[in-house]
């Protein structure tokens, strides 16, 4: 059975359809920003008529790009819809005459109230209730972007996208099985280390960014960094020794060979037991077509890697969400 | 005395002038890539007619953005002109019909041979001979971009730019004096630590990126990361404790308040003796006009911070360039 186009996405596309859009801005903070990197990859690959920029929300407001005008569409995302920088960014975009779409869990939130269109998605992260990944912010963004692409470039990828979204949750469930023994083996080795880096290229950089910033640093207090798999060779690789811990995400997209090269270097100059490799070829993505295989691999990686983080948390006796000391705990900074 | 427009830049602008350019791609690796982030900031602030993307060179080739066509201008940079990914990127861009400009020290290099226009710059980094910062890749890029802006948007910032470039080297020399005592005080505290982060926003992110990747990681083997000053609050700030070491670059640009906020957080929740703050207001930039003050502050920061790195290197008995174990030492990876 093919998924239906999300009804909020459909409504938003109807409103956007009335506007001459040639500039796309993807704006958010932290984990919500990370998915935008994959969105830009998709637009870069598919669109000739749409420029696409990704900005942290506060950077976006202060930088105030000159191209932000009535020909611009700004897609913003915040789980709770209360992230103050993102709420401000929506207001700023509207003042400049741009069209705004808010992605959020809460249609009553300040972000939703501040944007012209609201697109709801679901998350298990905050509720604890399992969702179908096709309803996640990552998947919903793909629907929005495919719809916009149809308008701006006359390329209709919505039918294959909807078929592909059917395969997504099964691929995630399968990945959990495939990687569980590997996580079990690596967690005791990574547990006492101070630093863990995540390497990726192309859309998989989205998963690396989110995992390093919002999981390893935020929830487990590791020194961490998402390093682009080729930039790795232009500085960061000098830190590699047999104790250095790396997670390498090898995507199913056009940049795959960049991450393969980083993996090969690490297996040669680091220690194989400290290099946790997740390869999209191990995922159950064979049902997906080429336009989306690369796009969805990062979502599978990211969902899977939560399990690894919980495993580390258990071994380190450092709880995940409850272990934070500043976020949502203190104010006035 | 006002500087003259670099003659290579002038020639390149003459060639570019014959082309209908609406898409700008800034492409390089590592330290050469870092300056492109500041270039994009300048174009974002000043241009309505030019989209601007920054890519690692190998990512650029594999991603192969659909907008890379005969309306595109690709500016590439490599010190030696031999960085294989960047040489490949120039070839790829030409195959797609785009116009190419190579920035390099060596006009006989493969990169220079592969591009339509060559713009030489100078660097003290490789030769050890002091240069005027107005001849650096960073400054030469600003000339190129101001010239392109004049064509695409009819805004002529070249005269104020050339006047401002006169103030640059004196500002750097003055910064060395201002910061020397602070570096002397912080180096013994940072020397034994495993991780040092660099925080910045806007164009100053260029300096943070380069310093973390190509100096602290590459030449001193610290765990390090350039963290965007607002993204800091959406994950990474959870690692802050009284031992965490940070360098905060506070620019003179429109995003200044983002870095001020990060500084204030660190001074409150970290230890002031582990938070090295460099503020553009301490720099001798009063002679610069507003369009360029923000743009040039990162170059001053970066030049100044070399001194801090050499101070750390001396205390750690870990030489800078000679201390590398992989770059230019091994091959076949």
């Amino acid at each position: 059975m093919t998924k239906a186009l999300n009804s909020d996405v459909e409504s938003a596309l109807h409103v956007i359809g009335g506007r001459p859009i040639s500039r796309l801005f993807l704006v958010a903070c932290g984990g919500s920003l990370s998915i935008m990197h994959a969105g830009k990859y998709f637009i870069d690959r598919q669109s000739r008529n749409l420029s696409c920029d990704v900005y942290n929300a506060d950077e976006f407001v202060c930088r105030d790009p000159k191209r932000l005008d009535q020909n611009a569409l700004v897609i913003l995302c915040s789980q709770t819809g209360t992230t103050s920088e993102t709420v401000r960014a929506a207001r700023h975009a509207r003042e400049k005459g741009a069209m705004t779409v808010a992605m959020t869990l809460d249609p009553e939130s300040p972000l939703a109230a501040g944007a012209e269109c609201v697109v709801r998605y679901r998350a298990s992260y905050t509720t604890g209730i399992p969702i179908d990944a096709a309803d996640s912010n990552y998947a919903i963004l793909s629907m929005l972007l495919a719809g916009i692409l149809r308008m701006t470039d006359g390329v209709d990828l919505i039918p294959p996208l909807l078929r592909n979204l059917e395969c997504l949750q099964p691929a995630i469930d399968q990945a959990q099985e495939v990687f569980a023994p590997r996580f079990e083996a690596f967690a005791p080795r990574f547990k006492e280390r101070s630093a863990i880096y995540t390497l990726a290229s192309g859309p998989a950089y989205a998963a690396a960014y989110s995992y390093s910033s919002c999981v390893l640093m935020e929830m487990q207090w590791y020194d961490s960094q998402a390093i682009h798999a080729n930039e790795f060779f232009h500085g960061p690789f000098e830190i590699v020794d047999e104790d250095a811990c790396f997670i390498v995400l090898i995507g199913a997209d056009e940049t795959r060979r960049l991450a393969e090269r980083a993996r090969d270097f690490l297996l040669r100059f680091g220690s194989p037991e400290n290099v946790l490799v997740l390869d999209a070829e191990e995922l159950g993505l064979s049902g997906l077509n080429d336009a989306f295989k690369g796009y969805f691999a990062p979502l599978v990686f990211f969902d899977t890697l939560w399990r690894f983080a919980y495993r580390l948390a258990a071994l380190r006796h450092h709880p995940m969400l409850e272990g934070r000391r500043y976020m949502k705990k203190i104010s006035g900074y």
Side-chain angles (χ1 to χ4, degrees), chain A:
Chain A
M1 195 195 76
T2 299
K3 293 262 176 200
L5 194 61
N6 173 290
S7 62
D8 286 350
V9 169
E10 206 148 23
S11 306
L13 292 175
H14 187 74
V15 178
I16 298 167
R19 302 278 287 258
I21 301 298
S22 60
R23 293 134 195 224
L24 179 63
F25 294 94
L26 305 176
V27 173
C29 295
S32 296
L33 179 62
S34 74
I35 66 169
M36 303 303 191
H37 291 293
K40 175 169 169 58
Y41 189 90
F42 177 75
I43 291 295
D44 280 357
R45 288 283 311 158
Q46 302 293 342
S47 178
R48 176 161 279 132
N49 300 325
L50 208 49
S51 67
C52 180
D53 284 299
V54 173
Y55 296 110
N56 161 276
D58 221 14
E59 174 82 24
F60 172 74
V61 170
C62 292
R63 182 182 291 224
D64 187 22
K66 203 162 187 173
R67 291 164 59 77
L68 179 63
D69 61 14
Q70 68 287 350
N71 296 316
L73 169 63
V74 183
I75 300 177
L76 308 108
C77 182
S78 161
Q79 299 270 57
T80 60
T82 60
T83 310
S84 59
E85 297 94 325
T86 312
V87 174
R88 215 161 36 224
R91 192 184 317 130
H92 178 74
R94 290 189 75 167
E95 283 167 8
K96 293 286 174 171
M99 164 90 188
T100 49
V101 177
M103 293 176 56
T104 177
L105 298 179
D106 181 3
E108 309 296 322
S109 63
L111 180 63
E116 278 159 284
C117 302
V118 180
V119 173
R120 284 164 297 176
Y121 61 87
R122 300 183 64 207
S124 56
Y125 169 80
T126 35
T127 60
I129 304 161
I131 63 158
D132 186 312
D135 300 321
S136 67
N137 55 3
Y138 196 101
I140 295 291
L141 177 64
S142 72
M143 291 189 193
L144 253 179
L145 296 178
I148 293 160
L149 185 70
R150 190 173 57 184
M151 292 181 226
T152 57
D153 290 69
V155 176
D156 190 2
L157 292 174
I158 294 179
L161 171 62
L162 294 177
R163 281 195 303 274
N164 281 225
L165 284 172
E166 278 298 307
C167 310
L168 198 52
Q169 190 59 47
I172 290 173
D173 296 340
Q174 185 183 324
Q176 307 287 16
E177 300 295 318
V178 170
F179 293 121
R182 206 171 306 167
F183 293 161
E184 204 59 40
F186 274 80
R189 297 177 204 148
F190 280 24
K191 135 183 108 132
E192 303 289 358
R193 301 308 171 79
S194 63
I196 302 173
Y197 294 93
T198 316
L199 295 189
S201 60
Y205 185 81
Y209 184 85
S210 186
Y211 199 64
S212 271
S213 273
C214 307
V215 180
L216 294 177
M217 295 187 88
E218 177 181 328
M219 299 185 189
Q220 287 298 308
W221 304 357
Y222 278 106
D223 286 310
S224 189
Q225 174 174 19
I227 302 178
H228 181 272
N230 184 268
E231 285 292 286
F232 173 65
F233 291 102
H234 297 277
F237 77 153
E238 286 289 343
I239 64 146
V240 173
D241 60 23
E242 56 188 18
D243 290 329
C245 293
F246 282 83
I247 299 170
V248 185
L249 306 180
I250 305 184
D253 62 281
E254 296 76 8
T255 70
R256 179 180 167 83
R257 70 166 169 77
L258 278 61
E260 288 177 323
R261 183 180 170 214
R263 173 200 60 198
D264 293 346
F265 178 91
L266 283 165
L267 294 178
R268 180 170 159 203
F269 296 101
S271 285
E273 62 265 30
N274 289 330
V275 182
L276 172 57
V277 178
L278 306 192
D279 189 331
E281 289 200 344
E282 300 174 277
L283 307 175
L285 298 178
S286 54
L288 272 65
N289 75 2
D290 287 343
F292 295 107
K293 205 177 278 183
Y295 185 79
F296 284 122
L299 178 57
V300 181
F301 287 143
F302 188 67
D303 257 50
T304 308
L305 279 167
W306 273 108
R307 301 287 177 107
F308 186 55
Y310 275 99
R311 194 75 201 97
L312 291 172
L315 295 176
R316 290 157 66 83
H317 308 295
H318 183 120
M320 292 283 285
L321 298 178
E322 310 74 22
R324 296 185 291 197
R325 49 188 149 185
Y326 306 119
M327 194 175 280
K328 294 171 187 172
K329 293 205 166 159
I330 56 154
S331 60
Y333 58 82

